[in-house]
Structures are given as C-alpha cells and as structure tokens.
Amino acid sequence: MTHYDDAQDVSMRPRGYGFEDHDEVRDRHLHIKALMERRKDHLIDLLQDPSLTPADRHRLEELKKQVKADIASVRAGGSDSAFQDLYSRYR
C-alpha cells in the first residue's frame, strides 16, 4: 500500500497537477508548437523569393531544417523543459 505522507515512498506520489494545471501546460505546449509552425511557414515564404543569393538560400534552408527537426522532436510529446528551451528559441 502506498503512503503518500511517507517521504521514502515516492513511487506513487501524485505530482500535484490539477486539471487546470494540466490544461495550462497543454495550452502552453500548443502555443510553442504553433510558434514553430509559423516560423517554418515564414521561412518557406522567404525561400520563394527568386532574388535570394545562393548563400542566403542555403542559410534559410538550414534554418528550415532546424525548425523541422525541433517540431519533430516534440511531435509525440515532450518534457516541459524541452518546450521551455524551444520557447526561448522561437518567441
């Protein structure tokens, strides 16, 4: 039997997330994913410019690859710290 007051028994201790907290975390994660998708869309729009130099095109392609990799890294979920790192990068 699990005793939630026992300092040694941490295996089943609830984390303390209420429904409101879970919803706030989910909303924050969705917001960060939306920021990354907007950045990717913006880079795709910039790549449509025919007057880009090859160096600029290459730089934008690399940025787009990085954004796509970041999106893929949290596609199926991710830790809150990973989302915070991404938020600091994409805000």
Side-chain angles (χ1 to χ4, degrees), residues 15 17 21-38 70-71 74-87:
R15 292 182 160 187
Y17 293 121
D21 294 334
H22 177 71
D23 289 342
E24 289 174 15
V25 169
R26 188 193 70 227
D27 290 345
R28 184 173 57 245
H29 290 186
L30 289 173
H31 174 71
I32 295 167
K33 287 180 181 182
L35 287 173
M36 291 188 294
E37 289 289 343
R38 278 187 284 224
D70 288 341
I71 291 169
V74 293
R75 181 164 288 141
S79 67
D80 201 38
S81 63
F83 275 101
Q84 291 303 322
D85 292 340
L86 292 171
Y87 179 69

Side-chain angles (χ1 to χ4, degrees), residues 27-73:
D27 290 345
R28 184 173 57 245
H29 290 186
L30 289 173
H31 174 71
I32 295 167
K33 287 180 181 182
L35 287 173
M36 291 188 294
E37 289 289 343
R38 278 187 284 224
R39 177 70 57 92
K40 182 185 73 163
D41 292 343
H42 179 69
L43 290 170
I44 290 171
D45 289 342
L46 289 175
L47 285 166
Q48 301 302 316
D49 184 6
S51 65
L52 283 175
T53 64
D56 288 339
R57 184 172 301 282
H58 178 71
R59 183 180 57 82
L60 290 174
E61 286 287 346
E62 290 300 317
L63 287 172
K64 186 178 88 170
K65 285 180 189 176
Q66 179 61 46
V67 172
K68 288 175 77 173
D70 288 341
I71 291 169
S73 72

